[in-house]
Amino acid sequence: MKNKEYRHLIRPLHGELVALQEWVKSSGAKICIVFEGRDTAGKGGVIKAITERVSPRVFRVVALPAPTEREKSQMYLQRYIPHLPAAGEVVIFDRSWYNRAGVERVMGFCTEEEADQFVQLVPEVERAIVDSGVILLKYWLEVSQEQQTLRLQSRIDDPRKLWKLSDLDLESYTHWYDYSRARDDMFHFTDTGWAPWYVVSNDDKKCGRLNIIAHILDQVPYEPLEHPDITLPKREKRHGYKEPRQPLHWIPTPYRGSSRKG
């Protein structure tokens, strides 16, 4: 999809996300959105597209770092529970408790016994989350082998993207089918009636973002935003105010907007 078409299509969706935000604030709704997927599947871009026009005080993104030694000794889900939404919040997990069923399992950061125990227990935890009134949406972003290769190579070649590349990404790249088996096993146990997995083909990132936002809006029973008739009030009069003579430290302006005549 071309950038011009994408910008045209996402504008009304952003307006609807603002309407959803206002409904969440007024109704006290609680929404939790989980994004998982293969490396380079585009989770960060989707989250940025969702949050770029809404308030970070309502839409909160959670991307937890590697667990500390203390957190490793806790019940596995314990460090995620405090981040679940309260009334009037939308919480987006950029990777979530499903790390255990994916990265940790494939890369050997947990035992097979621990991974099996996780997929057996997590459906009941998610049932409790949903029963508490949380709207829980789980998205798996899928990408083809060819696209993953192109995106990883782009990270290697582009200095703006190099920070996205980790040693773990390179090691994970060799485990395509191990990740496929882990994903299939995770779906088998955790794709439930109360918390289903929604799978997104994200080879075209722009289309994927539009489709995900449209789907989120379809899953939440929000009300359309009423546009009030607002007129800017008049500013106060100068009443003798004068600009101060104190010299100000203006920054250099090597970049200037172009002025066109006519």
Side-chain angles (χ1 to χ4, degrees), residues 173-229:
Y173 179 75
T174 66
H175 291 275
W176 177 271
Y177 293 106
D178 288 336
Y179 272 101
S180 296
R181 294 184 188 96
R183 175 204 59 197
D184 297 346
D185 189 60
M186 180 185 76
F187 284 171
H188 176 73
F189 286 100
T190 65
D191 184 27
T192 60
W194 55 91
W197 278 103
Y198 297 109
V199 182
V200 183
S201 175
N202 208 38
D203 274 6
D204 185 322
K205 291 194 230 182
K206 296 184 183 71
C207 287
R209 294 166 194 169
L210 296 171
N211 290 331
I212 290 170
I213 294 174
H215 189 267
I216 290 171
L217 294 170
D218 190 54
Q219 296 301 305
V220 180
Y222 73 100
E223 299 172 359
L225 183 66
E226 292 186 8
H227 294 276
D229 185 13

Short mmCIF file of all heavy atoms in Angstrom, two decimals, residues 173-229:
data_model
loop_
_atom_site.label_atom_id
_atom_site.label_comp_id
_atom_site.label_asym_id
_atom_site.label_seq_id
_atom_site.Cartn_x
_atom_site.Cartn_y
_atom_site.Cartn_z
N TYR A 173 16.34 -16.42 14.26
CA TYR A 173 16.14 -16.53 12.81
C TYR A 173 16.34 -17.97 12.33
O TYR A 173 15.70 -18.41 11.37
CB TYR A 173 17.10 -15.59 12.10
CG TYR A 173 17.02 -15.60 10.59
CD1 TYR A 173 15.96 -14.99 9.92
CD2 TYR A 173 18.01 -16.21 9.83
CE1 TYR A 173 15.89 -15.00 8.53
CE2 TYR A 173 17.95 -16.22 8.44
CZ TYR A 173 16.89 -15.61 7.80
OH TYR A 173 16.82 -15.62 6.44
N THR A 174 17.22 -18.70 12.99
CA THR A 174 17.51 -20.07 12.57
C THR A 174 16.47 -21.07 13.08
O THR A 174 16.53 -22.24 12.73
CB THR A 174 18.90 -20.50 13.08
OG1 THR A 174 18.89 -20.56 14.52
CG2 THR A 174 19.98 -19.53 12.63
N HIS A 175 15.52 -20.61 13.90
CA HIS A 175 14.56 -21.52 14.55
C HIS A 175 13.14 -21.32 14.02
O HIS A 175 12.18 -21.39 14.79
CB HIS A 175 14.58 -21.31 16.06
CG HIS A 175 15.85 -21.75 16.73
ND1 HIS A 175 16.08 -23.05 17.12
CD2 HIS A 175 16.97 -21.05 17.07
CE1 HIS A 175 17.27 -23.14 17.68
NE2 HIS A 175 17.83 -21.93 17.66
N TRP A 176 12.99 -21.07 12.73
CA TRP A 176 11.66 -20.77 12.16
C TRP A 176 10.64 -21.85 12.53
O TRP A 176 9.55 -21.57 13.00
CB TRP A 176 11.77 -20.63 10.66
CG TRP A 176 10.44 -20.39 10.00
CD1 TRP A 176 9.56 -21.34 9.54
CD2 TRP A 176 9.82 -19.13 9.75
NE1 TRP A 176 8.44 -20.74 9.02
CE2 TRP A 176 8.57 -19.39 9.13
CE3 TRP A 176 10.21 -17.80 9.97
CZ2 TRP A 176 7.71 -18.37 8.74
CZ3 TRP A 176 9.35 -16.78 9.58
CH2 TRP A 176 8.11 -17.07 8.98
N TYR A 177 10.99 -23.11 12.31
CA TYR A 177 10.01 -24.18 12.51
C TYR A 177 9.84 -24.53 13.98
O TYR A 177 8.76 -24.98 14.40
CB TYR A 177 10.40 -25.41 11.69
CG TYR A 177 10.26 -25.13 10.20
CD1 TYR A 177 11.39 -24.94 9.41
CD2 TYR A 177 9.00 -24.99 9.61
CE1 TYR A 177 11.26 -24.65 8.05
CE2 TYR A 177 8.87 -24.69 8.27
CZ TYR A 177 10.00 -24.52 7.49
OH TYR A 177 9.88 -24.21 6.16
N ASP A 178 10.86 -24.27 14.80
CA ASP A 178 10.67 -24.42 16.24
C ASP A 178 9.65 -23.41 16.75
O ASP A 178 8.80 -23.73 17.59
CB ASP A 178 12.00 -24.23 16.98
CG ASP A 178 12.95 -25.40 16.77
OD1 ASP A 178 12.48 -26.51 16.48
OD2 ASP A 178 14.19 -25.18 16.88
N TYR A 179 9.73 -22.18 16.23
CA TYR A 179 8.74 -21.17 16.60
C TYR A 179 7.35 -21.56 16.08
O TYR A 179 6.34 -21.31 16.74
CB TYR A 179 9.14 -19.79 16.06
CG TYR A 179 10.04 -19.03 17.00
CD1 TYR A 179 11.40 -18.96 16.77
CD2 TYR A 179 9.52 -18.38 18.11
CE1 TYR A 179 12.25 -18.26 17.63
CE2 TYR A 179 10.34 -17.67 18.98
CZ TYR A 179 11.70 -17.62 18.73
OH TYR A 179 12.52 -16.93 19.60
N SER A 180 7.30 -22.16 14.89
CA SER A 180 6.01 -22.59 14.34
C SER A 180 5.38 -23.65 15.24
O SER A 180 4.17 -23.61 15.53
CB SER A 180 6.19 -23.15 12.92
OG SER A 180 6.63 -22.15 12.03
N ARG A 181 6.18 -24.61 15.70
CA ARG A 181 5.64 -25.65 16.59
C ARG A 181 5.18 -25.06 17.92
O ARG A 181 4.12 -25.43 18.44
CB ARG A 181 6.72 -26.71 16.84
CG ARG A 181 7.12 -27.51 15.61
CD ARG A 181 8.11 -28.61 15.94
NE ARG A 181 8.60 -29.25 14.73
CZ ARG A 181 9.73 -28.92 14.11
NH1 ARG A 181 10.51 -27.97 14.62
NH2 ARG A 181 10.10 -29.54 13.01
N ALA A 182 5.96 -24.12 18.46
CA ALA A 182 5.58 -23.49 19.72
C ALA A 182 4.29 -22.69 19.55
O ALA A 182 3.41 -22.71 20.42
CB ALA A 182 6.71 -22.59 20.22
N ARG A 183 4.18 -21.96 18.43
CA ARG A 183 2.95 -21.19 18.15
C ARG A 183 1.74 -22.11 18.05
O ARG A 183 0.69 -21.85 18.64
CB ARG A 183 3.13 -20.43 16.85
CG ARG A 183 1.90 -19.67 16.36
CD ARG A 183 1.95 -19.45 14.86
NE ARG A 183 2.02 -20.73 14.14
CZ ARG A 183 2.39 -20.85 12.87
NH1 ARG A 183 2.76 -19.77 12.19
NH2 ARG A 183 2.42 -22.03 12.28
N ASP A 184 1.88 -23.22 17.31
CA ASP A 184 0.77 -24.14 17.12
C ASP A 184 0.32 -24.73 18.45
O ASP A 184 -0.88 -24.88 18.71
CB ASP A 184 1.15 -25.25 16.15
CG ASP A 184 1.46 -24.72 14.75
OD1 ASP A 184 1.12 -23.55 14.47
OD2 ASP A 184 2.06 -25.47 13.96
N ASP A 185 1.28 -25.08 19.29
CA ASP A 185 0.95 -25.64 20.60
C ASP A 185 0.26 -24.60 21.48
O ASP A 185 -0.72 -24.89 22.17
CB ASP A 185 2.23 -26.14 21.29
CG ASP A 185 1.96 -26.93 22.55
OD1 ASP A 185 1.27 -27.96 22.46
OD2 ASP A 185 2.41 -26.50 23.63
N MET A 186 0.74 -23.36 21.41
CA MET A 186 0.13 -22.27 22.18
C MET A 186 -1.31 -22.04 21.74
O MET A 186 -2.22 -21.90 22.56
CB MET A 186 0.95 -20.99 21.98
CG MET A 186 0.44 -19.78 22.72
SD MET A 186 1.39 -18.29 22.30
CE MET A 186 0.73 -17.92 20.66
N PHE A 187 -1.55 -22.02 20.42
CA PHE A 187 -2.91 -21.85 19.92
C PHE A 187 -3.82 -22.99 20.39
O PHE A 187 -4.98 -22.78 20.75
CB PHE A 187 -2.92 -21.81 18.39
CG PHE A 187 -2.44 -20.51 17.80
CD1 PHE A 187 -2.21 -20.40 16.43
CD2 PHE A 187 -2.20 -19.39 18.58
CE1 PHE A 187 -1.78 -19.22 15.86
CE2 PHE A 187 -1.76 -18.20 18.03
CZ PHE A 187 -1.55 -18.12 16.66
N HIS A 188 -3.30 -24.20 20.36
CA HIS A 188 -4.10 -25.37 20.72
C HIS A 188 -4.67 -25.24 22.14
O HIS A 188 -5.84 -25.57 22.38
CB HIS A 188 -3.24 -26.63 20.61
CG HIS A 188 -3.94 -27.88 21.07
ND1 HIS A 188 -4.94 -28.49 20.33
CD2 HIS A 188 -3.80 -28.62 22.21
CE1 HIS A 188 -5.38 -29.55 20.99
NE2 HIS A 188 -4.71 -29.65 22.13
N PHE A 189 -3.85 -24.76 23.05
CA PHE A 189 -4.28 -24.70 24.45
C PHE A 189 -4.93 -23.38 24.85
O PHE A 189 -5.76 -23.35 25.76
CB PHE A 189 -3.08 -24.96 25.38
CG PHE A 189 -2.63 -26.39 25.40
CD1 PHE A 189 -1.54 -26.80 24.66
CD2 PHE A 189 -3.31 -27.33 26.17
CE1 PHE A 189 -1.12 -28.12 24.68
CE2 PHE A 189 -2.90 -28.66 26.20
CZ PHE A 189 -1.80 -29.06 25.45
N THR A 190 -4.56 -22.29 24.19
CA THR A 190 -4.97 -20.97 24.71
C THR A 190 -5.91 -20.21 23.78
O THR A 190 -6.27 -19.07 24.10
CB THR A 190 -3.73 -20.11 25.01
OG1 THR A 190 -3.03 -19.81 23.79
CG2 THR A 190 -2.79 -20.81 25.96
N ASP A 191 -6.31 -20.79 22.65
CA ASP A 191 -7.31 -20.17 21.78
C ASP A 191 -8.68 -20.58 22.29
O ASP A 191 -9.25 -21.58 21.86
CB ASP A 191 -7.10 -20.62 20.34
CG ASP A 191 -8.05 -19.94 19.37
OD1 ASP A 191 -8.49 -18.80 19.66
OD2 ASP A 191 -8.37 -20.53 18.32
N THR A 192 -9.23 -19.81 23.22
CA THR A 192 -10.44 -20.18 23.94
C THR A 192 -11.61 -19.30 23.52
O THR A 192 -11.44 -18.26 22.88
CB THR A 192 -10.23 -20.02 25.45
OG1 THR A 192 -9.90 -18.65 25.74
CG2 THR A 192 -9.09 -20.92 25.93
N GLY A 193 -12.81 -19.73 23.91
CA GLY A 193 -14.00 -18.95 23.60
C GLY A 193 -14.03 -17.60 24.27
O GLY A 193 -14.58 -16.63 23.73
N TRP A 194 -13.44 -17.51 25.46
CA TRP A 194 -13.44 -16.24 26.20
C TRP A 194 -12.23 -15.38 25.88
O TRP A 194 -12.24 -14.18 26.14
CB TRP A 194 -13.52 -16.49 27.71
CG TRP A 194 -12.45 -17.40 28.25
CD1 TRP A 194 -11.23 -17.03 28.74
CD2 TRP A 194 -12.50 -18.83 28.35
NE1 TRP A 194 -10.50 -18.12 29.13
CE2 TRP A 194 -11.27 -19.25 28.92
CE3 TRP A 194 -13.46 -19.79 28.05
CZ2 TRP A 194 -10.99 -20.59 29.16
CZ3 TRP A 194 -13.16 -21.14 28.30
CH2 TRP A 194 -11.94 -21.52 28.84
N ALA A 195 -11.18 -15.96 25.30
CA ALA A 195 -9.99 -15.18 24.94
C ALA A 195 -9.36 -15.79 23.69
O ALA A 195 -8.30 -16.39 23.75
CB ALA A 195 -8.99 -15.15 26.09
N PRO A 196 -10.01 -15.63 22.54
CA PRO A 196 -9.48 -16.23 21.31
C PRO A 196 -8.26 -15.49 20.79
O PRO A 196 -8.03 -14.32 21.10
CB PRO A 196 -10.65 -16.10 20.33
CG PRO A 196 -11.40 -14.90 20.81
CD PRO A 196 -11.28 -14.91 22.30
N TRP A 197 -7.49 -16.18 19.97
CA TRP A 197 -6.39 -15.56 19.24
C TRP A 197 -6.88 -15.05 17.90
O TRP A 197 -7.57 -15.77 17.16
CB TRP A 197 -5.25 -16.55 19.00
CG TRP A 197 -4.34 -16.72 20.16
CD1 TRP A 197 -4.30 -17.77 21.05
CD2 TRP A 197 -3.32 -15.82 20.59
NE1 TRP A 197 -3.33 -17.57 21.99
CE2 TRP A 197 -2.70 -16.37 21.73
CE3 TRP A 197 -2.87 -14.59 20.11
CZ2 TRP A 197 -1.65 -15.74 22.40
CZ3 TRP A 197 -1.82 -13.96 20.78
CH2 TRP A 197 -1.23 -14.54 21.91
N TYR A 198 -6.54 -13.82 17.55
CA TYR A 198 -6.83 -13.27 16.24
C TYR A 198 -5.52 -13.18 15.47
O TYR A 198 -4.57 -12.54 15.92
CB TYR A 198 -7.48 -11.90 16.37
CG TYR A 198 -8.81 -11.92 17.08
CD1 TYR A 198 -8.95 -11.39 18.36
CD2 TYR A 198 -9.93 -12.49 16.46
CE1 TYR A 198 -10.18 -11.43 19.01
CE2 TYR A 198 -11.16 -12.52 17.11
CZ TYR A 198 -11.28 -11.99 18.38
OH TYR A 198 -12.49 -12.03 19.02
N VAL A 199 -5.46 -13.84 14.33
CA VAL A 199 -4.23 -13.94 13.55
C VAL A 199 -4.25 -12.91 12.43
O VAL A 199 -5.26 -12.75 11.74
CB VAL A 199 -4.05 -15.36 12.98
CG1 VAL A 199 -2.74 -15.47 12.20
CG2 VAL A 199 -4.09 -16.39 14.11
N VAL A 200 -3.13 -12.22 12.26
CA VAL A 200 -3.02 -11.12 11.30
C VAL A 200 -1.89 -11.41 10.33
O VAL A 200 -0.75 -11.65 10.74
CB VAL A 200 -2.72 -9.78 12.01
CG1 VAL A 200 -2.67 -8.64 11.00
CG2 VAL A 200 -3.73 -9.51 13.12
N SER A 201 -2.20 -11.42 9.04
CA SER A 201 -1.15 -11.49 8.02
C SER A 201 -0.55 -10.09 7.87
O SER A 201 -1.24 -9.15 7.47
CB SER A 201 -1.72 -11.96 6.68
OG SER A 201 -0.74 -11.92 5.68
N ASN A 202 0.74 -9.97 8.18
CA ASN A 202 1.34 -8.63 8.23
C ASN A 202 2.55 -8.48 7.31
O ASN A 202 3.48 -7.73 7.60
CB ASN A 202 1.73 -8.29 9.68
CG ASN A 202 1.71 -6.79 9.93
OD1 ASN A 202 0.84 -6.08 9.43
ND2 ASN A 202 2.67 -6.30 10.72
N ASP A 203 2.53 -9.17 6.17
CA ASP A 203 3.58 -8.93 5.18
C ASP A 203 3.50 -7.50 4.65
O ASP A 203 4.53 -6.88 4.37
CB ASP A 203 3.46 -9.93 4.03
CG ASP A 203 4.19 -11.23 4.32
OD1 ASP A 203 4.69 -11.40 5.45
OD2 ASP A 203 4.25 -12.09 3.42
N ASP A 204 2.29 -6.98 4.47
CA ASP A 204 2.09 -5.57 4.15
C ASP A 204 1.74 -4.86 5.45
O ASP A 204 0.62 -4.96 5.94
CB ASP A 204 0.97 -5.40 3.12
CG ASP A 204 0.81 -3.96 2.65
OD1 ASP A 204 0.96 -3.03 3.48
OD2 ASP A 204 0.54 -3.74 1.45
N LYS A 205 2.71 -4.16 6.01
CA LYS A 205 2.53 -3.58 7.35
C LYS A 205 1.41 -2.55 7.39
O LYS A 205 0.67 -2.47 8.36
CB LYS A 205 3.84 -2.95 7.82
CG LYS A 205 4.93 -3.95 8.13
CD LYS A 205 6.04 -3.26 8.90
CE LYS A 205 7.37 -3.53 8.30
NZ LYS A 205 8.48 -2.91 9.05
N LYS A 206 1.29 -1.75 6.36
CA LYS A 206 0.27 -0.71 6.36
C LYS A 206 -1.13 -1.32 6.37
O LYS A 206 -2.01 -0.89 7.12
CB LYS A 206 0.45 0.23 5.17
CG LYS A 206 1.76 1.02 5.19
CD LYS A 206 1.82 1.98 4.02
CE LYS A 206 3.16 2.72 3.99
NZ LYS A 206 4.27 1.84 3.59
N CYS A 207 -1.34 -2.32 5.52
CA CYS A 207 -2.64 -3.01 5.51
C CYS A 207 -2.89 -3.68 6.86
O CYS A 207 -4.02 -3.65 7.37
CB CYS A 207 -2.68 -4.05 4.40
SG CYS A 207 -2.82 -3.36 2.74
N GLY A 208 -1.85 -4.28 7.43
CA GLY A 208 -2.01 -4.94 8.72
C GLY A 208 -2.44 -3.97 9.80
O GLY A 208 -3.34 -4.27 10.61
N ARG A 209 -1.84 -2.79 9.82
CA ARG A 209 -2.22 -1.79 10.84
C ARG A 209 -3.67 -1.37 10.68
O ARG A 209 -4.41 -1.29 11.67
CB ARG A 209 -1.30 -0.57 10.72
CG ARG A 209 0.14 -0.85 11.07
CD ARG A 209 1.04 0.29 10.62
NE ARG A 209 2.46 -0.10 10.66
CZ ARG A 209 3.44 0.61 10.13
NH1 ARG A 209 3.17 1.77 9.53
NH2 ARG A 209 4.69 0.19 10.20
N LEU A 210 -4.07 -1.12 9.45
CA LEU A 210 -5.46 -0.71 9.21
C LEU A 210 -6.42 -1.82 9.63
O LEU A 210 -7.45 -1.56 10.27
CB LEU A 210 -5.65 -0.37 7.74
CG LEU A 210 -4.86 0.83 7.19
CD1 LEU A 210 -4.99 0.90 5.68
CD2 LEU A 210 -5.33 2.13 7.83
N ASN A 211 -6.10 -3.05 9.27
CA ASN A 211 -6.99 -4.16 9.59
C ASN A 211 -7.11 -4.40 11.08
O ASN A 211 -8.19 -4.69 11.60
CB ASN A 211 -6.49 -5.44 8.89
CG ASN A 211 -6.68 -5.40 7.38
OD1 ASN A 211 -7.59 -4.76 6.88
ND2 ASN A 211 -5.80 -6.06 6.65
N ILE A 212 -6.00 -4.26 11.79
CA ILE A 212 -6.02 -4.47 13.24
C ILE A 212 -6.83 -3.38 13.93
O ILE A 212 -7.67 -3.66 14.81
CB ILE A 212 -4.59 -4.53 13.80
CG1 ILE A 212 -3.91 -5.82 13.35
CG2 ILE A 212 -4.60 -4.44 15.33
CD1 ILE A 212 -2.43 -5.87 13.65
N ILE A 213 -6.60 -2.12 13.56
CA ILE A 213 -7.35 -1.03 14.19
C ILE A 213 -8.84 -1.20 13.92
O ILE A 213 -9.68 -1.06 14.83
CB ILE A 213 -6.85 0.33 13.71
CG1 ILE A 213 -5.41 0.57 14.17
CG2 ILE A 213 -7.77 1.46 14.21
CD1 ILE A 213 -4.77 1.84 13.61
N ALA A 214 -9.20 -1.52 12.68
CA ALA A 214 -10.61 -1.73 12.35
C ALA A 214 -11.19 -2.87 13.17
O ALA A 214 -12.34 -2.80 13.63
CB ALA A 214 -10.76 -2.02 10.85
N HIS A 215 -10.42 -3.93 13.37
CA HIS A 215 -10.90 -5.07 14.15
C HIS A 215 -11.09 -4.72 15.62
O HIS A 215 -12.09 -5.10 16.24
CB HIS A 215 -9.94 -6.26 14.00
CG HIS A 215 -10.47 -7.53 14.59
ND1 HIS A 215 -10.20 -7.91 15.89
CD2 HIS A 215 -11.28 -8.49 14.07
CE1 HIS A 215 -10.80 -9.06 16.13
NE2 HIS A 215 -11.46 -9.43 15.05
N ILE A 216 -10.14 -3.98 16.19
CA ILE A 216 -10.28 -3.55 17.59
C ILE A 216 -11.55 -2.73 17.76
O ILE A 216 -12.34 -2.95 18.70
CB ILE A 216 -9.04 -2.73 18.02
CG1 ILE A 216 -7.81 -3.63 18.12
CG2 ILE A 216 -9.30 -2.03 19.36
CD1 ILE A 216 -6.52 -2.87 18.34
N LEU A 217 -11.77 -1.79 16.85
CA LEU A 217 -12.97 -0.96 16.92
C LEU A 217 -14.23 -1.79 16.82
O LEU A 217 -15.26 -1.48 17.44
CB LEU A 217 -12.94 0.09 15.81
CG LEU A 217 -11.82 1.15 15.92
CD1 LEU A 217 -11.74 1.97 14.64
CD2 LEU A 217 -12.03 2.05 17.13
N ASP A 218 -14.18 -2.87 16.06
CA ASP A 218 -15.33 -3.75 15.89
C ASP A 218 -15.59 -4.61 17.12
O ASP A 218 -16.72 -5.03 17.36
CB ASP A 218 -15.12 -4.64 14.66
CG ASP A 218 -16.37 -5.40 14.27
OD1 ASP A 218 -17.42 -4.76 14.08
OD2 ASP A 218 -16.31 -6.65 14.18
N GLN A 219 -14.54 -4.85 17.91
CA GLN A 219 -14.68 -5.73 19.07
C GLN A 219 -15.13 -5.01 20.33
O GLN A 219 -15.56 -5.64 21.29
CB GLN A 219 -13.33 -6.42 19.36
CG GLN A 219 -12.85 -7.35 18.27
CD GLN A 219 -13.83 -8.47 17.99
OE1 GLN A 219 -14.20 -9.21 18.90
NE2 GLN A 219 -14.25 -8.59 16.75
N VAL A 220 -15.04 -3.68 20.34
CA VAL A 220 -15.36 -2.91 21.53
C VAL A 220 -16.69 -2.16 21.32
O VAL A 220 -16.83 -1.45 20.32
CB VAL A 220 -14.23 -1.89 21.85
CG1 VAL A 220 -14.59 -1.08 23.09
CG2 VAL A 220 -12.91 -2.64 22.04
N PRO A 221 -17.64 -2.29 22.24
CA PRO A 221 -18.96 -1.66 22.05
C PRO A 221 -18.97 -0.18 22.44
O PRO A 221 -19.78 0.26 23.25
CB PRO A 221 -19.85 -2.48 22.99
CG PRO A 221 -18.94 -2.87 24.11
CD PRO A 221 -17.59 -3.11 23.47
N TYR A 222 -18.06 0.59 21.86
CA TYR A 222 -17.98 2.01 22.19
C TYR A 222 -19.06 2.79 21.46
O TYR A 222 -19.69 2.30 20.51
CB TYR A 222 -16.60 2.57 21.85
CG TYR A 222 -16.35 2.73 20.37
CD1 TYR A 222 -16.47 3.97 19.75
CD2 TYR A 222 -16.00 1.64 19.57
CE1 TYR A 222 -16.24 4.13 18.39
CE2 TYR A 222 -15.77 1.79 18.22
CZ TYR A 222 -15.89 3.03 17.63
OH TYR A 222 -15.68 3.18 16.29
N GLU A 223 -19.27 4.01 21.88
CA GLU A 223 -20.28 4.87 21.27
C GLU A 223 -19.60 5.96 20.44
O GLU A 223 -18.53 6.45 20.82
CB GLU A 223 -21.16 5.51 22.35
CG GLU A 223 -21.91 4.48 23.18
CD GLU A 223 -22.61 5.10 24.37
OE1 GLU A 223 -22.49 6.33 24.54
OE2 GLU A 223 -23.26 4.36 25.11
N PRO A 224 -20.19 6.34 19.31
CA PRO A 224 -19.57 7.38 18.47
C PRO A 224 -19.38 8.68 19.24
O PRO A 224 -20.14 9.00 20.15
CB PRO A 224 -20.58 7.56 17.33
CG PRO A 224 -21.35 6.28 17.31
CD PRO A 224 -21.41 5.81 18.74
N LEU A 225 -18.35 9.40 18.87
CA LEU A 225 -18.03 10.65 19.54
C LEU A 225 -18.86 11.79 18.95
O LEU A 225 -18.90 11.98 17.74
CB LEU A 225 -16.54 10.96 19.36
CG LEU A 225 -15.98 12.20 20.04
CD1 LEU A 225 -16.05 12.05 21.55
CD2 LEU A 225 -14.54 12.45 19.60
N GLU A 226 -19.55 12.52 19.82
CA GLU A 226 -20.31 13.68 19.36
C GLU A 226 -19.37 14.88 19.25
O GLU A 226 -18.59 15.15 20.15
CB GLU A 226 -21.44 14.00 20.35
CG GLU A 226 -22.54 12.94 20.38
CD GLU A 226 -23.70 13.37 21.24
OE1 GLU A 226 -23.70 14.55 21.69
OE2 GLU A 226 -24.59 12.54 21.48
N HIS A 227 -19.45 15.57 18.14
CA HIS A 227 -18.59 16.73 17.92
C HIS A 227 -19.32 17.99 18.38
O HIS A 227 -20.25 18.45 17.71
CB HIS A 227 -18.21 16.84 16.45
CG HIS A 227 -17.36 15.71 15.97
ND1 HIS A 227 -15.98 15.70 16.14
CD2 HIS A 227 -17.66 14.54 15.36
CE1 HIS A 227 -15.49 14.59 15.64
NE2 HIS A 227 -16.49 13.86 15.16
N PRO A 228 -18.93 18.57 19.51
CA PRO A 228 -19.62 19.77 20.00
C PRO A 228 -19.30 20.97 19.11
O PRO A 228 -18.26 21.03 18.45
CB PRO A 228 -19.04 19.96 21.40
CG PRO A 228 -17.70 19.29 21.35
CD PRO A 228 -17.84 18.13 20.41
N ASP A 229 -20.19 21.92 19.11
CA ASP A 229 -20.00 23.15 18.35
C ASP A 229 -19.17 24.10 19.21
O ASP A 229 -19.68 24.70 20.16
CB ASP A 229 -21.36 23.76 18.01
CG ASP A 229 -21.21 24.99 17.10
OD1 ASP A 229 -20.11 25.18 16.57
OD2 ASP A 229 -22.19 25.74 16.96
#
